[in-house]
């Protein structure tokens, strides 16, 4: 009997620290394999990071995602057990969500449903949280549906906000939470 690892495809738009963390975490096991890293940003550092870690890295444009089936066909060929959005800023089209129901997850840098929606990502979220003088924030792992940040929540992790927190310190706290929990949440979902 041949054993094949569970396959993950990661979508990312930027530096890709979460993608790097996930790839390195699963390189230590034979049970899970990151088969592709896909990015809508040709200059995204995540593409080079994926190459360096010997994972297929592909760039696509808006037409390949929304107007044609290019990205969908790449996904169908990869047949992933899970599609992971790790700092991916475009909305996932319905045609992909329909083919991979409850197989696409995202991490959001706040405790949803607060501070979610179109345009709410990265430092924009942290800035709004600080401006509203929240005492805690965190991260939300959720399934992706056709609306920004409205899919079923899988798991949330909280962190306290102190009066001396700045945009930089809060960004660091959130990134640390993501790095700690992202691979483990993926692992749990793949074990189901």
């Amino acid at each position: 009997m041949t054993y094949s690892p569970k396959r993950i495809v990661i979508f990312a738009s930027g530096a890709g620290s979460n993608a790097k963390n996930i790839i390195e975490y699963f390189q230590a096991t034979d049970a899970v394999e990151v088969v592709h890293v896909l990015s809508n940003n040709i200059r995204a550092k995540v593409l080079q990071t994926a190459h360096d870690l010997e994972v297929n890295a592909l760039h696509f444009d808006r037409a390949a995602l929304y107007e044609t089936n290019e990205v969908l066909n790449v996904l169908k060929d990869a047949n992933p057990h899970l599609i992971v959005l790790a700092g991916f800023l475009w909305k996932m089209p319905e045609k992909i969500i329909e083919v991979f129901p409850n197989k696409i997850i995202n991490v959001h840098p706040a405790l949803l449903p607060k501070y979610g929606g179109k345009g709410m990502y990265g430092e924009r979220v942290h800035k709004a949280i600080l401006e509203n003088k929240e005492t805690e924030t965190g991260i939300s792992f959720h399934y992706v549906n056709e609306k920004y940040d409205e899919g079923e929540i899988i798991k949330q992790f909280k962190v306290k906000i102190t009066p001396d927190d700045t945009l930089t310190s809060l960004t660091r706290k959130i990134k640390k939470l993501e790095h700690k929990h992202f691979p483990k949440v993926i692992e749990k979902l793949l074990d189901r």
Side-chain angles (χ1 to χ4, degrees):
M1 188 174 109
T2 57
Y3 171 81
S4 61
K6 296 211 170 159
R7 293 171 308 286
I8 298 175
V9 173
I10 297 175
F11 281 76
S13 296
S17 69
N18 273 317
K20 181 177 191 285
N21 181 45
I22 292 164
I23 294 165
E24 288 175 341
Y25 183 89
F26 288 115
Q27 280 180 337
T29 174
D30 291 334
V32 178
E33 180 186 7
V34 178
V35 291
H36 292 304
V37 170
L38 304 178
S39 183
N40 58 315
N41 176 1
I42 199 159
R43 289 179 291 285
K45 189 178 167 209
V46 71
L47 293 171
Q48 184 60 52
T49 300
H51 277 299
D52 294 346
L53 294 170
E54 298 179 0
V55 173
N56 290 328
L58 302 167
H59 164 261
F60 60 89
D61 60 16
R62 194 168 279 282
L65 184 65
Y66 297 111
E67 295 163 27
T68 72
N69 287 332
E70 283 180 63
V71 173
L72 178 59
N73 289 337
V74 167
L75 292 172
K76 282 180 177 176
D77 289 346
N79 192 21
H81 294 84
L82 203 59
I83 297 168
V84 177
L85 309 187
F88 181 64
L89 301 181
W90 288 0
K91 191 173 176 186
M92 195 55 66
E94 281 186 45
K95 63 185 174 187
I96 292 178
I97 295 168
E98 284 168 13
V99 174
F100 298 96
N102 293 320
K103 285 191 173 185
I104 308 172
I105 67 165
N106 182 44
V107 65
H108 185 75
L111 298 172
L112 292 172
K114 286 175 142 187
Y115 303 102
K118 186 172 170 61
M120 290 303 282
Y121 59 88
E123 288 192 348
R124 293 177 179 195
V125 174
H126 307 321
K127 196 171 178 218
I129 287 166
L130 289 171
E131 283 171 359
N132 288 326
K133 304 201 181 325
E134 297 282 359
T135 56
E136 69 176 12
T137 186
I139 57 174
S140 301
F141 293 95
H142 66 93
Y143 288 106
V144 173
N145 66 15
E146 61 284 344
K147 295 183 180 163
Y148 280 109
D149 304 322
E150 290 188 22
E152 179 193 343
I153 292 173
I154 299 161
K155 194 94 172 133
Q156 293 182 313
F157 298 93
K158 295 178 180 179
V159 67
K160 293 272 177 245
I161 300 174
T162 60
D164 59 342
D165 265 323
T166 62
L167 193 54
T168 304
S169 66
L170 186 56
T171 301
R172 204 175 303 127
K173 279 183 183 180
I174 293 299
K175 195 54 73 182
K176 195 173 173 184
L177 264 190
E178 289 174 353
H179 288 179
K180 179 180 178 184
H181 295 289
F182 216 155
K184 293 173 184 164
V185 167
I186 291 169
E187 206 166 38
K188 279 205 173 85
L189 289 172
L190 291 173
D191 282 346
R192 284 185 179 171

